[in-house]
Amino acid sequence: MRLLVTGGAGFIGANFVQQTVATRPDVSVTVLDALTYAGNRASLDSVADKIDFVHGDIADLDLVDNLVSGVDAVVHFAAESHNDNSLAEPWPFVQTNIVGTYSLLQAVRRHEVRYHHVSTDEVYGDLTEEDPAFTENTAYNPSSPYSATKAGSDLLVRAWTRSFGVKATLSNCSNNYGPFQHVEKFIPRQITNLIDGVRPRLYGAGHQIRDWIHVDDHNRAVFDILERGRIGQTYLIGAQGELDNLTVVRLILEAFGRPADDFDHVTDRPGHDQRYAIDASLLREELGWEPQYADFRAGLANTIAWYRDNEDWWRPKKAETELAYATAGEKTL
Ligand code: NAD
Ligand code: DAU
């Protein structure tokens, strides 16, 4: 199979490409990535001689058409992915997440190429602690410019499938953690703060709940859906990893041998979603997928070890990321 992977220099995409190269010698991979602030060519160093890399924008219709004409399937990870950035400047989210997805859909439609769309549980909005977990039938109710543009892109995929017969599947996953995640995100931000001797930064009281999944478990599910998923079907991906943010900060502090209260409460995120939770029954029962990282503490310990061992990878992004948070007005409460 010849596979085009968009966003393959980002967190989840790079892990997907590494996993595919390691486990699937029958698959040839071309990565299309614009190398935005979130993309890092170094994330693909270990597989550089085994893949083709194209530096370009998914919204470039001619480039995308040309690349799609030469593959059997597209897995679409590329996106603007950070909620806080979407609150500061929404336009790149509209451009990449909606216009970029349109560009890919037109190309897979023209060339009749199989398409898998990687999306997020945030399209469903948030839950109270009493609500049942999201299912494939939960109504869309996004809260932020990020989640609204991801929801818009999902709806384009559904429309292109129904109206034009595009052979698409979709997946909506919960919060990922693991190696190669940008230091703007919650877990790597706190790990790299602690490596630098800086206290973790918890938004508000930290009672929001996220449903954590290791990135390798997400990516195995994506491959299963690509190969065996039903055309037109959405699959939710999650590993029953619900934890509140305060607990996650305390687990990271514990792993660094620091006291449980050694962190700062900072300005909360406007419109902050309270809880995400995934019911992955369809994926488990229909495709037989099971997470391999059932123990969050163990996965977190591996992730901390990776950031300790790969300072060259994250260090160039750290100061500019913290400056952006400070410029956006983040203050200790
Ligand atoms: P990321 O921000 O780490 O990486 C995004 C990648 O896309 C980068 O390499 C960037 O350079 C590239 N990119 C951005 N705009 C582009 C454009 N116009 N053209 C080509 N490339 C472009 O994101 P991530 O966390 O790896 O997320 C990947 C996908 O998974 C996204 O679609 C996101 O919505 C989805 N998702 C993420 C999570 C999570 O927890 N991170 C959970 C569920 C779903
Ligand atoms: O649910 C899937 C989504 O998970 C993906 O679609 C997004 O691309 C991904 O970024 C992630 O979104 P979140 O907004 O949940 O992730 P983030 O890492 O930004 O924050 C996780 C939680 O931690 C959230 O409740 C906000 C909080 N937080 C975040 C940062 C950066 C803090 O308390 N302190 C911080 O410094």
Side-chain angles (χ1 to χ4, degrees), residues 21-257:
V21 168
T23 60
R24 295 297 300 258
D26 54 321
V27 175
S28 68
V29 175
T30 300
V31 168
L32 171 61
D33 198 293
L35 295 177
T36 68
Y37 82 97
N40 193 336
R41 193 74 198 263
S43 304
L44 295 170
D45 277 354
S46 65
V47 293
D49 57 348
K50 300 195 173 69
I51 63 166
D52 290 321
F53 183 87
V54 179
H55 182 196
D57 192 326
I58 55 165
D60 180 337
L61 288 161
D62 292 338
L63 173 66
V64 164
D65 190 77
N66 184 32
L67 290 172
V68 168
S69 72
V71 298
D72 303 305
V74 175
V75 180
H76 176 34
F77 291 97
E80 287 290 337
S81 70
H82 193 37
N83 276 295
D84 292 323
N85 293 344
S86 80
L87 297 166
E89 178 48 72
W91 169 246
F93 290 74
V94 175
Q95 170 66 19
T96 285
N97 299 355
I98 297 183
V99 180
T101 297
Y102 161 82
S103 159
L104 287 159
L105 286 170
Q106 286 292 76
V108 294
R109 173 188 172 195
R110 188 171 304 113
H111 298 289
E112 299 185 6
V113 164
R114 174 82 171 85
Y115 174 86
H116 181 72
H117 186 73
V118 177
S119 192
T120 169
D121 58 359
E122 295 195 20
V123 299
Y124 301 113
D126 61 354
L127 300 167
T128 66
E129 287 177 37
E130 291 73 41
D131 285 332
F134 301 131
T135 71
E136 287 77 8
N137 298 319
T138 304
Y140 275 40
N141 186 27
S143 315
S144 74
Y146 162 66
S147 52
T149 57
K150 289 297 292 187
S153 72
D154 291 10
L155 297 182
L156 292 182
V157 178
R158 291 181 181 199
W160 262 242
T161 303
R162 176 161 171 169
S163 300
F164 304 127
V166 163
K167 296 188 290 290
T169 43
L170 303 91
S171 55
N172 295 74
C173 188
S174 58
N175 284 64
N176 286 218
Y177 72 98
F180 298 100
Q181 187 170 28
H182 193 283
V183 291
E184 70 189 352
K185 301 293 188 339
F186 180 47
I187 288 178
R189 186 181 185 200
Q190 317 315 333
I191 293 171
T192 53
N193 276 354
L194 283 164
I195 291 171
D196 280 348
V198 173
R199 284 155 68 97
R201 318 275 285 168
L202 189 65
Y203 290 176
H207 296 316
Q208 292 80 13
I209 294 168
R210 296 294 181 265
D211 190 352
W212 294 99
I213 181 172
H214 193 278
V215 63
D216 289 344
D217 283 333
H218 179 184
N219 281 329
R220 283 189 308 99
V222 167
F223 220 103
D224 286 348
I225 296 165
L226 178 70
E227 292 201 301
R228 294 184 286 117
R230 270 179 290 136
I231 298 304
Q233 183 63 46
T234 291
Y235 295 85
L236 263 54
I237 307 173
Q240 294 180 300
E242 282 189 72
L243 290 170
D244 69 20
N245 295 338
L246 180 59
T247 303
V248 173
V249 159
R250 290 196 164 138
L251 287 173
I252 298 171
L253 283 164
E254 183 185 291
F256 276 82

Side-chain angles (χ1 to χ4, degrees), residues 297-317:
R297 271 174 198 262
L300 184 63
N302 287 345
T303 304
I304 292 171
W306 188 86
Y307 280 90
R308 283 193 190 280
D309 292 345
N310 290 278
E311 192 168 332
D312 288 354
W313 182 88
W314 58 265
R315 175 64 65 195
K317 308 271 185 180

